[in-house]
Amino acid sequence: MTSRNTSATRRKWYIGVLGQHAPEEPVLALAYRIGKGIAERGGVLLCGGLGGVMEAACRGAKEAGGITIGILPGSSPDDANPFVDFAIATGLGEARNFIIVSASSALIACGGQAGTLSEIALALRLGKILAGVRTWKIEDHRGKKDFFPSFESAEEAVEYVFSRLQGAK
Amino acid sequence: MTSRNTSATRRKWYIGVLGQHAPEEPVLALAYRIGKGIAERGGVLLCGGLGGVMEAACRGAKEAGGITIGILPGSSPDDANPFVDFAIATGLGEARNFIIVSASSALIACGGQAGTLSEIALALRLGKILAGVRTWKIEDHRGKKDFFPSFESAEEAVEYVFSRLQGAK
Amino acid sequence: MTSRNTSATRRKWYIGVLGQHAPEEPVLALAYRIGKGIAERGGVLLCGGLGGVMEAACRGAKEAGGITIGILPGSSPDDANPFVDFAIATGLGEARNFIIVSASSALIACGGQAGTLSEIALALRLGKILAGVRTWKIEDHRGKKDFFPSFESAEEAVEYVFSRLQGAK
Amino acid sequence: MTSRNTSATRRKWYIGVLGQHAPEEPVLALAYRIGKGIAERGGVLLCGGLGGVMEAACRGAKEAGGITIGILPGSSPDDANPFVDFAIATGLGEARNFIIVSASSALIACGGQAGTLSEIALALRLGKILAGVRTWKIEDHRGKKDFFPSFESAEEAVEYVFSRLQGAK
């Protein structure tokens, strides 16, 4: 009797990358390095599958030999950016954000507009591991602010989420 | 020939009230007055249909003779608080937050935890009229903070959203 | 101390009416009488909120003094037919069919195209009380056919679902 | 300048396999061969990610060197059967059926209970290429029956959907 030796049987971490369609250049550079870092550590990159932060992160992951999955709002896989390996065309519009968060083991938010903030909040709501890099700051009505750690570099954010996933922290 | 004279033919505003299940007392008092204010102006109150802010707001609306609709996460209408007129048991879990925001003409956030923040962010994402009362403060990565007005009193928040809906502002 | 006497505290049955946008005239006449029957027995009519069977059923319900709720695919309550009292603009596209079925205590299917068949199947999947009038016939791969009763008249179908809801059958 | 040479840039067909959790043995054997056939033709297999038909199809695909994606109802990727390469834990419950259909270029239904019928109907509603093998028979209220072709063998069904996708038919 032999062990199964398929890619399906290895433990996988799904790391969601959150960010907007059309950010400024420094945010894109961060996203690229986040994607690269995720792939280098063997994580599967999940994202919204479109342009901007999503595309930069996917490009980084592919250049490091990783796997990328795009959870699209529309109904055609052709909407995905060219660095998406597998496109899930949900047909759910903006409600697809919920799936990205639900399906991720941990998430990294980078820059972002309101859509990204909604994903950050859903990640907190669902108790996911979450790191931010140059993203939203939030404060609740009692003045509490420390909902998730914020980092200056992509590498620190990637290091943080994998440490947490591996129980090292 | 006569005009139709059914409740279905009057112009309706759907006002979403966002807030958490188990807040402190002052937030509940605010929620009650928000619900009351919405009903006094003829708005239909939409909310998550459960307890806390949701129940206090529905109670306020019912005491002012209004109509309340609860968009529930579970699959039984019996989960609704007793001040919900119509319970929509979506069976979608937390993803039902998306529907509350989508279905509202305008929204008022009051106190709240991460679920409320996700609804605030979705409201901004969908371009909805939004007011806050003692709720989350948010700041994007460029330091922008003025995403929605925050008020001290329930009455000001209600006044604000109806003024905006009626194009008075 | 008095009992609460709001419309919110009465036991409500939510009856979903399933059917297509543009059916032939006899199906519309059936839908009208289904809506009327639901309202006469005090049920709240749930449907997709658009035209055809949905509009005919809502018209029947309103003429009998009932309440109608439309669960819309789009993001504007103005998409609802004029006989919808409360429009829930879900923004979920066709996925909103799931909510109609989930939120209904019992359902009546009338005529219909593929969208209606998907709702019939979801109703069976979720174990809902279901009746058909001039609608789809289905047979599984083992030859089983009796998944839900089919009636010739609107009145029989309405009678059936209310009997089942009240435990009389 | 070189062309991009990543797995992300090849044209992919996503083939959904629909079927129940606990079918009889002959249906499982069919599902296995459907999965194998999809992988042999280079298709990416999409399914609900759980047991029964879903697991048998994934096993067939993996043994032929293919790729499998499971769109799960729950919130943990660990719910997936061991032959799922990538698990998308949607957290949407039964509403995840909608995503399987939306994300597939073509679908093959095999055996099945009510959940499978709802997916068949959604596939018709969304205009997807669809083939059946020993699955539901449907007839609309006007007596129309030929909504999708039904085959005796897994191989014929696979051949049919790929022919349609490649415009050969």
Side-chain angles (χ1 to χ4, degrees), chain D residues 34-70:
Chain D
I34 290 169
K36 194 158 173 288
I38 290 170
E40 286 168 351
R41 287 164 182 267
V44 174
L45 189 151
L46 279 189
C47 71
L50 300 177
V53 160
M54 300 171 266
E55 179 163 344
C58 287
R59 189 165 58 84
K62 289 313 297 173
E63 289 184 12
I67 294 278
T68 59
I69 298 179

PDB file of all heavy atoms in Angstrom, chain D residues 34-70:
ATOM      1  N   ILE D  34     -16.309  10.306 -15.338  1.00  0.00           N
ATOM      2  CA  ILE D  34     -16.513  11.693 -15.780  1.00  0.00           C
ATOM      3  C   ILE D  34     -15.303  12.545 -15.361  1.00  0.00           C
ATOM      4  O   ILE D  34     -14.747  13.302 -16.150  1.00  0.00           O
ATOM      5  CB  ILE D  34     -17.818  12.268 -15.186  1.00  0.00           C
ATOM      6  CG1 ILE D  34     -19.028  11.596 -15.843  1.00  0.00           C
ATOM      7  CG2 ILE D  34     -17.879  13.784 -15.371  1.00  0.00           C
ATOM      8  CD1 ILE D  34     -20.354  11.897 -15.155  1.00  0.00           C
ATOM      9  N   GLY D  35     -14.886  12.395 -14.104  1.00  0.00           N
ATOM     10  CA  GLY D  35     -13.741  13.170 -13.621  1.00  0.00           C
ATOM     11  C   GLY D  35     -12.479  12.854 -14.410  1.00  0.00           C
ATOM     12  O   GLY D  35     -11.716  13.759 -14.794  1.00  0.00           O
ATOM     13  N   LYS D  36     -12.278  11.562 -14.676  1.00  0.00           N
ATOM     14  CA  LYS D  36     -11.111  11.134 -15.453  1.00  0.00           C
ATOM     15  C   LYS D  36     -11.132  11.749 -16.857  1.00  0.00           C
ATOM     16  O   LYS D  36     -10.130  12.287 -17.325  1.00  0.00           O
ATOM     17  CB  LYS D  36     -11.132   9.605 -15.537  1.00  0.00           C
ATOM     18  CG  LYS D  36      -9.871   8.942 -16.006  1.00  0.00           C
ATOM     19  CD  LYS D  36      -9.840   7.475 -15.530  1.00  0.00           C
ATOM     20  CE  LYS D  36      -8.659   6.712 -16.126  1.00  0.00           C
ATOM     21  NZ  LYS D  36      -8.824   6.415 -17.562  1.00  0.00           N
ATOM     22  N   GLY D  37     -12.306  11.692 -17.481  1.00  0.00           N
ATOM     23  CA  GLY D  37     -12.433  12.224 -18.837  1.00  0.00           C
ATOM     24  C   GLY D  37     -12.177  13.725 -18.899  1.00  0.00           C
ATOM     25  O   GLY D  37     -11.550  14.232 -19.838  1.00  0.00           O
ATOM     26  N   ILE D  38     -12.656  14.441 -17.908  1.00  0.00           N
ATOM     27  CA  ILE D  38     -12.438  15.890 -17.873  1.00  0.00           C
ATOM     28  C   ILE D  38     -10.941  16.189 -17.777  1.00  0.00           C
ATOM     29  O   ILE D  38     -10.412  17.047 -18.493  1.00  0.00           O
ATOM     30  CB  ILE D  38     -13.209  16.514 -16.682  1.00  0.00           C
ATOM     31  CG1 ILE D  38     -14.720  16.453 -16.944  1.00  0.00           C
ATOM     32  CG2 ILE D  38     -12.756  17.944 -16.418  1.00  0.00           C
ATOM     33  CD1 ILE D  38     -15.588  16.820 -15.744  1.00  0.00           C
ATOM     34  N   ALA D  39     -10.264  15.462 -16.891  1.00  0.00           N
ATOM     35  CA  ALA D  39      -8.826  15.708 -16.713  1.00  0.00           C
ATOM     36  C   ALA D  39      -8.038  15.334 -17.960  1.00  0.00           C
ATOM     37  O   ALA D  39      -7.109  16.044 -18.366  1.00  0.00           O
ATOM     38  CB  ALA D  39      -8.312  14.920 -15.508  1.00  0.00           C
ATOM     39  N   GLU D  40      -8.414  14.229 -18.594  1.00  0.00           N
ATOM     40  CA  GLU D  40      -7.698  13.799 -19.800  1.00  0.00           C
ATOM     41  C   GLU D  40      -7.777  14.832 -20.920  1.00  0.00           C
ATOM     42  O   GLU D  40      -6.895  14.930 -21.755  1.00  0.00           O
ATOM     43  CB  GLU D  40      -8.249  12.452 -20.288  1.00  0.00           C
ATOM     44  CG  GLU D  40      -7.790  11.294 -19.406  1.00  0.00           C
ATOM     45  CD  GLU D  40      -8.553  10.000 -19.691  1.00  0.00           C
ATOM     46  OE1 GLU D  40      -9.557  10.045 -20.450  1.00  0.00           O
ATOM     47  OE2 GLU D  40      -8.156   8.961 -19.149  1.00  0.00           O
ATOM     48  N   ARG D  41      -8.856  15.591 -20.930  1.00  0.00           N
ATOM     49  CA  ARG D  41      -8.993  16.627 -21.953  1.00  0.00           C
ATOM     50  C   ARG D  41      -8.497  17.983 -21.471  1.00  0.00           C
ATOM     51  O   ARG D  41      -8.701  19.007 -22.130  1.00  0.00           O
ATOM     52  CB  ARG D  41     -10.453  16.727 -22.372  1.00  0.00           C
ATOM     53  CG  ARG D  41     -10.865  15.533 -23.229  1.00  0.00           C
ATOM     54  CD  ARG D  41     -12.370  15.434 -23.295  1.00  0.00           C
ATOM     55  NE  ARG D  41     -12.768  14.281 -24.077  1.00  0.00           N
ATOM     56  CZ  ARG D  41     -13.026  14.329 -25.390  1.00  0.00           C
ATOM     57  NH1 ARG D  41     -12.933  15.456 -26.045  1.00  0.00           N
ATOM     58  NH2 ARG D  41     -13.378  13.234 -26.022  1.00  0.00           N
ATOM     59  N   GLY D  42      -7.897  18.004 -20.309  1.00  0.00           N
ATOM     60  CA  GLY D  42      -7.288  19.248 -19.834  1.00  0.00           C
ATOM     61  C   GLY D  42      -8.227  20.191 -19.114  1.00  0.00           C
ATOM     62  O   GLY D  42      -7.862  21.332 -18.836  1.00  0.00           O
ATOM     63  N   GLY D  43      -9.439  19.744 -18.830  1.00  0.00           N
ATOM     64  CA  GLY D  43     -10.378  20.602 -18.115  1.00  0.00           C
ATOM     65  C   GLY D  43     -10.051  20.682 -16.630  1.00  0.00           C
ATOM     66  O   GLY D  43      -9.487  19.749 -16.060  1.00  0.00           O
ATOM     67  N   VAL D  44     -10.412  21.793 -16.008  1.00  0.00           N
ATOM     68  CA  VAL D  44     -10.325  21.939 -14.557  1.00  0.00           C
ATOM     69  C   VAL D  44     -11.671  21.515 -13.985  1.00  0.00           C
ATOM     70  O   VAL D  44     -12.710  22.023 -14.411  1.00  0.00           O
ATOM     71  CB  VAL D  44     -10.035  23.406 -14.167  1.00  0.00           C
ATOM     72  CG1 VAL D  44     -10.097  23.584 -12.654  1.00  0.00           C
ATOM     73  CG2 VAL D  44      -8.685  23.850 -14.712  1.00  0.00           C
ATOM     74  N   LEU D  45     -11.665  20.573 -13.051  1.00  0.00           N
ATOM     75  CA  LEU D  45     -12.918  20.066 -12.511  1.00  0.00           C
ATOM     76  C   LEU D  45     -13.385  20.925 -11.333  1.00  0.00           C
ATOM     77  O   LEU D  45     -12.660  21.108 -10.356  1.00  0.00           O
ATOM     78  CB  LEU D  45     -12.742  18.612 -12.066  1.00  0.00           C
ATOM     79  CG  LEU D  45     -14.018  17.859 -11.682  1.00  0.00           C
ATOM     80  CD1 LEU D  45     -13.839  16.373 -11.953  1.00  0.00           C
ATOM     81  CD2 LEU D  45     -14.419  18.066 -10.235  1.00  0.00           C
ATOM     82  N   LEU D  46     -14.596  21.445 -11.450  1.00  0.00           N
ATOM     83  CA  LEU D  46     -15.234  22.188 -10.352  1.00  0.00           C
ATOM     84  C   LEU D  46     -16.339  21.333  -9.764  1.00  0.00           C
ATOM     85  O   LEU D  46     -17.096  20.699 -10.494  1.00  0.00           O
ATOM     86  CB  LEU D  46     -15.906  23.455 -10.882  1.00  0.00           C
ATOM     87  CG  LEU D  46     -15.110  24.706 -11.147  1.00  0.00           C
ATOM     88  CD1 LEU D  46     -16.081  25.852 -11.459  1.00  0.00           C
ATOM     89  CD2 LEU D  46     -14.255  25.075  -9.960  1.00  0.00           C
ATOM     90  N   CYS D  47     -16.475  21.349  -8.430  1.00  0.00           N
ATOM     91  CA  CYS D  47     -17.600  20.642  -7.825  1.00  0.00           C
ATOM     92  C   CYS D  47     -17.839  21.172  -6.423  1.00  0.00           C
ATOM     93  O   CYS D  47     -17.167  22.114  -5.987  1.00  0.00           O
ATOM     94  CB  CYS D  47     -17.352  19.138  -7.797  1.00  0.00           C
ATOM     95  SG  CYS D  47     -16.091  18.637  -6.620  1.00  0.00           S
ATOM     96  N   GLY D  48     -18.788  20.565  -5.734  1.00  0.00           N
ATOM     97  CA  GLY D  48     -19.125  21.005  -4.391  1.00  0.00           C
ATOM     98  C   GLY D  48     -18.113  20.591  -3.330  1.00  0.00           C
ATOM     99  O   GLY D  48     -18.215  21.005  -2.173  1.00  0.00           O
ATOM    100  N   GLY D  49     -17.147  19.745  -3.708  1.00  0.00           N
ATOM    101  CA  GLY D  49     -15.995  19.476  -2.845  1.00  0.00           C
ATOM    102  C   GLY D  49     -16.219  18.464  -1.735  1.00  0.00           C
ATOM    103  O   GLY D  49     -15.277  18.155  -1.005  1.00  0.00           O
ATOM    104  N   LEU D  50     -17.423  17.923  -1.615  1.00  0.00           N
ATOM    105  CA  LEU D  50     -17.687  16.977  -0.524  1.00  0.00           C
ATOM    106  C   LEU D  50     -17.574  15.533  -1.040  1.00  0.00           C
ATOM    107  O   LEU D  50     -16.794  15.263  -1.933  1.00  0.00           O
ATOM    108  CB  LEU D  50     -19.062  17.281   0.092  1.00  0.00           C
ATOM    109  CG  LEU D  50     -19.190  18.699   0.684  1.00  0.00           C
ATOM    110  CD1 LEU D  50     -20.599  18.955   1.197  1.00  0.00           C
ATOM    111  CD2 LEU D  50     -18.186  18.916   1.820  1.00  0.00           C
ATOM    112  N   GLY D  51     -18.370  14.612  -0.442  1.00  0.00           N
ATOM    113  CA  GLY D  51     -18.237  13.200  -0.763  1.00  0.00           C
ATOM    114  C   GLY D  51     -19.116  12.733  -1.916  1.00  0.00           C
ATOM    115  O   GLY D  51     -19.646  13.529  -2.676  1.00  0.00           O
ATOM    116  N   GLY D  52     -19.271  11.425  -2.056  1.00  0.00           N
ATOM    117  CA  GLY D  52     -20.148  10.850  -3.066  1.00  0.00           C
ATOM    118  C   GLY D  52     -19.659  11.143  -4.470  1.00  0.00           C
ATOM    119  O   GLY D  52     -18.491  10.947  -4.798  1.00  0.00           O
ATOM    120  N   VAL D  53     -20.583  11.607  -5.324  1.00  0.00           N
ATOM    121  CA  VAL D  53     -20.250  11.935  -6.709  1.00  0.00           C
ATOM    122  C   VAL D  53     -19.087  12.913  -6.775  1.00  0.00           C
ATOM    123  O   VAL D  53     -18.180  12.786  -7.615  1.00  0.00           O
ATOM    124  CB  VAL D  53     -21.490  12.520  -7.433  1.00  0.00           C
ATOM    125  CG1 VAL D  53     -21.087  13.316  -8.672  1.00  0.00           C
ATOM    126  CG2 VAL D  53     -22.437  11.382  -7.818  1.00  0.00           C
ATOM    127  N   MET D  54     -19.096  13.887  -5.855  1.00  0.00           N
ATOM    128  CA  MET D  54     -18.045  14.910  -5.867  1.00  0.00           C
ATOM    129  C   MET D  54     -16.674  14.276  -5.640  1.00  0.00           C
ATOM    130  O   MET D  54     -15.718  14.545  -6.358  1.00  0.00           O
ATOM    131  CB  MET D  54     -18.356  15.969  -4.806  1.00  0.00           C
ATOM    132  CG  MET D  54     -19.686  16.674  -5.048  1.00  0.00           C
ATOM    133  SD  MET D  54     -20.238  17.762  -3.670  1.00  0.00           S
ATOM    134  CE  MET D  54     -21.304  16.605  -2.746  1.00  0.00           C
ATOM    135  N   GLU D  55     -16.581  13.386  -4.664  1.00  0.00           N
ATOM    136  CA  GLU D  55     -15.296  12.756  -4.362  1.00  0.00           C
ATOM    137  C   GLU D  55     -14.867  11.793  -5.470  1.00  0.00           C
ATOM    138  O   GLU D  55     -13.697  11.759  -5.865  1.00  0.00           O
ATOM    139  CB  GLU D  55     -15.377  12.008  -3.028  1.00  0.00           C
ATOM    140  CG  GLU D  55     -14.072  11.314  -2.689  1.00  0.00           C
ATOM    141  CD  GLU D  55     -13.961  10.912  -1.227  1.00  0.00           C
ATOM    142  OE1 GLU D  55     -14.755  11.421  -0.394  1.00  0.00           O
ATOM    143  OE2 GLU D  55     -13.093  10.085  -0.910  1.00  0.00           O
ATOM    144  N   ALA D  56     -15.824  11.011  -5.978  1.00  0.00           N
ATOM    145  CA  ALA D  56     -15.485  10.058  -7.039  1.00  0.00           C
ATOM    146  C   ALA D  56     -14.966  10.784  -8.274  1.00  0.00           C
ATOM    147  O   ALA D  56     -13.980  10.361  -8.893  1.00  0.00           O
ATOM    148  CB  ALA D  56     -16.712   9.207  -7.384  1.00  0.00           C
ATOM    149  N   ALA D  57     -15.614  11.888  -8.634  1.00  0.00           N
ATOM    150  CA  ALA D  57     -15.170  12.647  -9.803  1.00  0.00           C
ATOM    151  C   ALA D  57     -13.782  13.238  -9.566  1.00  0.00           C
ATOM    152  O   ALA D  57     -12.919  13.198 -10.455  1.00  0.00           O
ATOM    153  CB  ALA D  57     -16.178  13.749 -10.130  1.00  0.00           C
ATOM    154  N   CYS D  58     -13.557  13.769  -8.376  1.00  0.00           N
ATOM    155  CA  CYS D  58     -12.234  14.342  -8.072  1.00  0.00           C
ATOM    156  C   CYS D  58     -11.150  13.258  -8.108  1.00  0.00           C
ATOM    157  O   CYS D  58     -10.045  13.481  -8.610  1.00  0.00           O
ATOM    158  CB  CYS D  58     -12.240  15.016  -6.698  1.00  0.00           C
ATOM    159  SG  CYS D  58     -13.155  16.577  -6.647  1.00  0.00           S
ATOM    160  N   ARG D  59     -11.468  12.085  -7.607  1.00  0.00           N
ATOM    161  CA  ARG D  59     -10.503  10.994  -7.611  1.00  0.00           C
ATOM    162  C   ARG D  59     -10.142  10.613  -9.049  1.00  0.00           C
ATOM    163  O   ARG D  59      -8.966  10.457  -9.398  1.00  0.00           O
ATOM    164  CB  ARG D  59     -11.058   9.778  -6.865  1.00  0.00           C
ATOM    165  CG  ARG D  59     -10.032   8.665  -6.625  1.00  0.00           C
ATOM    166  CD  ARG D  59     -10.497   7.666  -5.582  1.00  0.00           C
ATOM    167  NE  ARG D  59     -11.768   7.051  -5.940  1.00  0.00           N
ATOM    168  CZ  ARG D  59     -11.894   5.995  -6.746  1.00  0.00           C
ATOM    169  NH1 ARG D  59     -10.832   5.421  -7.271  1.00  0.00           N
ATOM    170  NH2 ARG D  59     -13.089   5.502  -7.026  1.00  0.00           N
ATOM    171  N   GLY D  60     -11.168  10.520  -9.889  1.00  0.00           N
ATOM    172  CA  GLY D  60     -10.914  10.222 -11.299  1.00  0.00           C
ATOM    173  C   GLY D  60     -10.023  11.278 -11.944  1.00  0.00           C
ATOM    174  O   GLY D  60      -9.083  10.960 -12.684  1.00  0.00           O
ATOM    175  N   ALA D  61     -10.305  12.536 -11.639  1.00  0.00           N
ATOM    176  CA  ALA D  61      -9.516  13.621 -12.243  1.00  0.00           C
ATOM    177  C   ALA D  61      -8.075  13.582 -11.761  1.00  0.00           C
ATOM    178  O   ALA D  61      -7.133  13.754 -12.545  1.00  0.00           O
ATOM    179  CB  ALA D  61     -10.157  14.973 -11.912  1.00  0.00           C
ATOM    180  N   LYS D  62      -7.886  13.354 -10.471  1.00  0.00           N
ATOM    181  CA  LYS D  62      -6.508  13.335  -9.935  1.00  0.00           C
ATOM    182  C   LYS D  62      -5.722  12.155 -10.506  1.00  0.00           C
ATOM    183  O   LYS D  62      -4.535  12.282 -10.801  1.00  0.00           O
ATOM    184  CB  LYS D  62      -6.518  13.266  -8.405  1.00  0.00           C
ATOM    185  CG  LYS D  62      -6.981  14.535  -7.701  1.00  0.00           C
ATOM    186  CD  LYS D  62      -6.338  15.810  -8.221  1.00  0.00           C
ATOM    187  CE  LYS D  62      -4.842  15.869  -8.033  1.00  0.00           C
ATOM    188  NZ  LYS D  62      -4.279  17.074  -8.719  1.00  0.00           N
ATOM    189  N   GLU D  63      -6.372  11.003 -10.663  1.00  0.00           N
ATOM    190  CA  GLU D  63      -5.648   9.846 -11.191  1.00  0.00           C
ATOM    191  C   GLU D  63      -5.246  10.047 -12.652  1.00  0.00           C
ATOM    192  O   GLU D  63      -4.327   9.399 -13.137  1.00  0.00           O
ATOM    193  CB  GLU D  63      -6.475   8.571 -10.996  1.00  0.00           C
ATOM    194  CG  GLU D  63      -6.516   8.215  -9.500  1.00  0.00           C
ATOM    195  CD  GLU D  63      -7.225   6.914  -9.201  1.00  0.00           C
ATOM    196  OE1 GLU D  63      -7.499   6.134 -10.149  1.00  0.00           O
ATOM    197  OE2 GLU D  63      -7.508   6.675  -8.023  1.00  0.00           O
ATOM    198  N   ALA D  64      -5.938  10.982 -13.319  1.00  0.00           N
ATOM    199  CA  ALA D  64      -5.550  11.315 -14.697  1.00  0.00           C
ATOM    200  C   ALA D  64      -4.683  12.574 -14.737  1.00  0.00           C
ATOM    201  O   ALA D  64      -4.467  13.150 -15.803  1.00  0.00           O
ATOM    202  CB  ALA D  64      -6.803  11.495 -15.555  1.00  0.00           C
ATOM    203  N   GLY D  65      -4.204  12.998 -13.567  1.00  0.00           N
ATOM    204  CA  GLY D  65      -3.285  14.134 -13.543  1.00  0.00           C
ATOM    205  C   GLY D  65      -3.937  15.496 -13.654  1.00  0.00           C
ATOM    206  O   GLY D  65      -3.276  16.482 -13.976  1.00  0.00           O
ATOM    207  N   GLY D  66      -5.238  15.570 -13.396  1.00  0.00           N
ATOM    208  CA  GLY D  66      -5.959  16.838 -13.542  1.00  0.00           C
ATOM    209  C   GLY D  66      -5.939  17.699 -12.291  1.00  0.00           C
ATOM    210  O   GLY D  66      -5.304  17.361 -11.292  1.00  0.00           O
ATOM    211  N   ILE D  67      -6.660  18.788 -12.390  1.00  0.00           N
ATOM    212  CA  ILE D  67      -6.770  19.746 -11.290  1.00  0.00           C
ATOM    213  C   ILE D  67      -8.226  19.794 -10.846  1.00  0.00           C
ATOM    214  O   ILE D  67      -9.129  19.807 -11.684  1.00  0.00           O
ATOM    215  CB  ILE D  67      -6.358  21.161 -11.757  1.00  0.00           C
ATOM    216  CG1 ILE D  67      -4.883  21.204 -12.122  1.00  0.00           C
ATOM    217  CG2 ILE D  67      -6.702  22.210 -10.703  1.00  0.00           C
ATOM    218  CD1 ILE D  67      -3.945  21.358 -10.961  1.00  0.00           C
ATOM    219  N   THR D  68      -8.460  19.845  -9.516  1.00  0.00           N
ATOM    220  CA  THR D  68      -9.826  19.849  -8.977  1.00  0.00           C
ATOM    221  C   THR D  68     -10.009  21.007  -8.002  1.00  0.00           C
ATOM    222  O   THR D  68      -9.135  21.302  -7.191  1.00  0.00           O
ATOM    223  CB  THR D  68     -10.109  18.537  -8.224  1.00  0.00           C
ATOM    224  OG1 THR D  68      -9.167  18.399  -7.155  1.00  0.00           O
ATOM    225  CG2 THR D  68      -9.994  17.330  -9.136  1.00  0.00           C
ATOM    226  N   ILE D  69     -11.171  21.643  -8.102  1.00  0.00           N
ATOM    227  CA  ILE D  69     -11.505  22.750  -7.204  1.00  0.00           C
ATOM    228  C   ILE D  69     -12.840  22.430  -6.539  1.00  0.00           C
ATOM    229  O   ILE D  69     -13.798  22.053  -7.209  1.00  0.00           O
ATOM    230  CB  ILE D  69     -11.602  24.081  -7.978  1.00  0.00           C
ATOM    231  CG1 ILE D  69     -10.237  24.421  -8.601  1.00  0.00           C
ATOM    232  CG2 ILE D  69     -12.068  25.212  -7.063  1.00  0.00           C
ATOM    233  CD1 ILE D  69     -10.226  25.704  -9.422  1.00  0.00           C
ATOM    234  N   GLY D  70     -12.890  22.549  -5.211  1.00  0.00           N
ATOM    235  CA  GLY D  70     -14.121  22.277  -4.471  1.00  0.00           C
ATOM    236  C   GLY D  70     -14.703  23.554  -3.894  1.00  0.00           C
ATOM    237  O   GLY D  70     -14.027  24.251  -3.144  1.00  0.00           O
TER     238      GLY D  70
END
